[in-house]
Amino acid sequence: MDWGAVIVAAGSGKRMGAGMNKAYLPLNGRPVLAHTLEAFEACGAVTEIVIVAAAGEEAQAEALAREHGIRKLTAVIPGGAERQDSVYAGLAALRAEGALVHDAARPLVTPERIAACCAAAEESGAAALAVPVKDTIKLSDGGGMIVSTPERSLLWAVQTPQAFGRVELMDAHERARREGAQATDDAMLLERLGRKVAIVESDYANLKITTPEDLPIAELLLERRRRDGLERNE
Ligand SMILES: Nc1ccn([C@@H]2O[C@H](COP(=O)(O)OP(=O)(O)OP(=O)(O)O)[C@@H](O)[C@H]2O)c(=O)n1
Ligand SMILES: C[C@](O)(CO)[C@H](O)COP(=O)(O)O
């Protein structure tokens, strides 16, 4: 099965407060988006990459991909108001049988985890990387009071990539748009249709660069990965 990746990079980074799209912030000397693209470029299961860029940033994204040797890039598409709209736009440009959807803001993903997500989706139909929740999670009444505590052993913090059949995911998006269903990830769009999505245990390092403290954490994790790699090769 061939896999195409939709890399969504069209957000405005409000919570980061950097005044710019966090996909272009430097991370250990290279843009966040470059790290993300390189992981998909290096993953053998991935045959095409579509970047969904913020309107007006398409040329910047394409130039960045070229500068960093991303040969699998097939299209740069303008995104939409919400992440869901951006994914939908990117899917239309994909041709592969399998569709991976990944946040540009998750630059520490590895080719190995991407491949594991693809393999699980080939086995189960759809899959998503996730990590067991470490904190006890509370459900609130929306007014600042705790209502209940879900069983922690059943809770997973889902990440990306998430992997699906391209046609099935496109259909799920189209149905959600017709029905006005909103989703903060793509697995939700299959769940609402009663479809199964497999959990693929990931690592906590696959964090999403969201608020300011996430960037120095990502830098430390990258530096440790580089050092461990050097020590292994010595
Ligand atoms: N309309 C949008 C919103 C988000 N994203 C992408 O979806 C990923 C996850 O979204 P998030 O972390 O929320 O990014 P932002 O929307 O930029 O952040 P914020 O909500 O703080 O503005 C990011 O790679 C972001 O670029 C997108 O392509 N299109
Ligand atoms: C898709 C996602 O990364 C899974 O955890 C998350 O839902 C994205 O949320 P965001 O608010 O669009 O960053």
Side-chain angles (χ1 to χ4, degrees):
M1 187 165 175
D2 60 339
W3 288 92
V6 173
I7 308 296
V8 283
S12 56
K14 290 186 288 296
R15 288 170 286 179
M16 178 55 81
M20 62 180 284
N21 183 339
K22 58 194 179 183
Y24 304 102
L25 288 175
L27 174 62
N28 288 27
R30 286 180 295 133
V32 164
L33 178 58
H35 292 274
T36 302
L37 292 172
E38 286 163 356
F40 286 83
E41 183 75 16
C43 179
V46 174
T47 56
E48 62 182 282
I49 296 172
V50 169
I51 300 173
V52 184
E57 293 180 353
E58 297 93 330
Q60 182 180 358
E62 183 150 16
L64 181 155
R66 197 169 40 251
E67 182 186 343
H68 290 86
I70 307 303
R71 291 174 179 69
K72 295 178 183 176
L73 182 69
T74 55
V76 179
I77 304 291
E82 301 298 331
R83 181 184 182 282
Q84 189 175 338
D85 303 315
S86 295
V87 173
Y88 180 67
L91 276 178
L94 222 50
R95 292 294 168 267
E97 187 182 352
L100 287 156
V101 182
H102 185 70
D103 301 326
R106 291 185 187 270
L108 273 65
V109 69
T110 66
E112 294 76 16
R113 295 291 185 189
I114 298 167
C117 194
C118 294
E122 289 171 16
E123 180 75 27
S124 309
L129 293 188
V131 288
V133 165
K134 293 190 267 190
D135 298 317
T136 294
I137 302 298
K138 302 293 182 181
L139 192 63
S140 84
D141 62 1
M145 301 304 282
I146 292 171
V147 170
S148 63
T149 303
E151 168 55 48
R152 187 167 70 179
S153 64
L154 300 177
L155 294 180
W156 291 77
V158 79
Q159 303 172 344
T160 65
Q162 300 185 4
F164 312 86
R166 174 176 58 83
V167 173
E168 184 175 21
L169 181 59
M170 178 59 95
D171 173 63
H173 268 268
E174 287 172 343
R175 289 179 65 167
R177 293 169 76 87
R178 286 197 301 273
E179 296 157 16
Q182 294 189 329
T184 51
D185 79 339
D186 297 276
M188 277 175 78
L189 298 179
L190 270 77
E191 295 158 35
R192 66 185 293 271
L193 303 177
R195 309 275 170 75
K196 298 286 182 209
V197 180
I199 291 171
V200 181
E201 186 155 1
S202 179
D203 51 64
Y204 291 101
N206 185 25
L207 59 88
K208 182 163 64 76
I209 307 288
T210 308
T211 49
E213 64 276 359
D214 294 327
L215 213 50
I217 292 171
E219 288 179 339
L220 280 173
L221 289 167
L222 264 180
E223 181 50 30
R224 187 180 71 178
R225 189 182 285 178
R226 187 191 66 80
R227 199 178 53 244
D228 293 353
L230 285 178
E231 283 161 11
R232 267 200 303 277
N233 295 335
E234 275 166 4

